[in-house]
Amino acid sequence: MSTLQDNLNLYLVTEESIPLEKLEQIIEEAILGGVTAVQLREKTADGKTFYEKALKIKQLLANYSIPFFINDRVDIALAVEADGIHIGQDDIPLSVVKKVVPLSMKIGVSVKNVQQALIAEAEGADYIGVGSVFPTATKKDASMLQHGTLKMISQAVTIPAVAIGGITSANLPQILDSGICGAAIVSAIMKADDPRQAAESLKKQVTNGKGTYNTKQVNC
């Protein structure tokens, strides 16, 4: 049985507002290439559209036993019985989310410094997303981490840390010695000409870098 750490190895976060049929094709190809978890992110979609898209994606992922996470929207996560929810620093507080979601639903929290990471762990987060580690066009307001911060954060906590933000096959090797359990990928897969090949390349790099993961984190 896969552990949470295994599931976070190559974590696909979807691009905004992609038509459902194309989105399903990209996700399926990415899974065949080695993606181990998928987060549906729809910042601008109305509730009905988000729900319908989430329901379809969940059904697709169930065919491959791939865990499904929802970004921000606790109501959508509950409605489709997602495997997890990922929240940011400006979303509903983690302590409140934990009161309304089932114990089985994993909760990830975005952090950008050690203090936020320690608070997330203390309040019961199952994992943290750390970034932005590189410049990214996906989230234009994202601030870049200073050199060494990713390693400081991942070593400060005992829950899995996942790097996110502008990660590509070209720059991924730069962060594999930082203690992370995995990488969250957006454009490098979602906008790739061949999503399966892109995922295969990234998965190989992440797998080969396992020996440098934070030894404080179980199975990392």
Side-chain angles (χ1 to χ4, degrees), residues 19 31 50 71 96 129 137 162 181 200-201:
I31 291 170
F50 198 161
N71 180 265
V96 177
V162 178
C181 272
E200 286 176 349
S201 175

Side-chain angles (χ1 to χ4, degrees), residues 46-152:
D46 60 70
K48 184 173 184 291
T49 300
F50 198 161
Y51 168 74
E52 291 175 347
K53 188 175 284 190
L55 206 56
K56 288 288 187 179
I57 299 304
K58 185 192 174 184
Q59 292 169 352
L60 170 63
L61 297 183
N63 294 332
Y64 294 95
S65 298
I66 297 293
F68 182 40
F69 291 78
I70 295 292
N71 180 265
D72 293 351
R73 293 288 296 271
V74 178
D75 57 335
I76 302 295
L78 289 170
V80 301
E81 298 181 341
D83 300 295
I85 176 81
H86 189 91
I87 58 174
Q89 293 295 316
D90 297 325
D91 294 320
I92 298 173
L94 173 59
S95 58
V96 177
V97 174
K98 288 183 69 68
K99 290 179 182 179
V100 298
V101 302
L103 291 175
S104 60
M105 189 176 288
K106 302 301 182 183
I107 306 175
V109 178
S110 294
V111 305
K112 59 183 179 181
N113 58 51
V114 171
Q115 181 181 16
Q116 290 176 351
L118 291 173
I119 291 173
E121 180 177 33
E123 292 185 348
D126 294 291
Y127 74 94
I128 52 173
V130 188
S132 176
V133 293
F134 299 110
T136 173
T138 303
K139 194 172 183 181
K140 299 185 186 303
D141 61 344
S143 57
M144 284 275 295
L145 296 181
Q146 293 184 351
H147 180 70
T149 301
L150 178 61
K151 188 170 187 177
M152 289 173 58

Side-chain angles (χ1 to χ4, degrees), residues 20-32:
L20 179 59
E21 185 176 353
K22 182 179 180 182
L23 181 62
E24 288 180 298
Q25 292 173 352
I26 294 172
I27 290 174
E28 187 162 28
E29 286 298 304
I31 291 170
L32 294 173

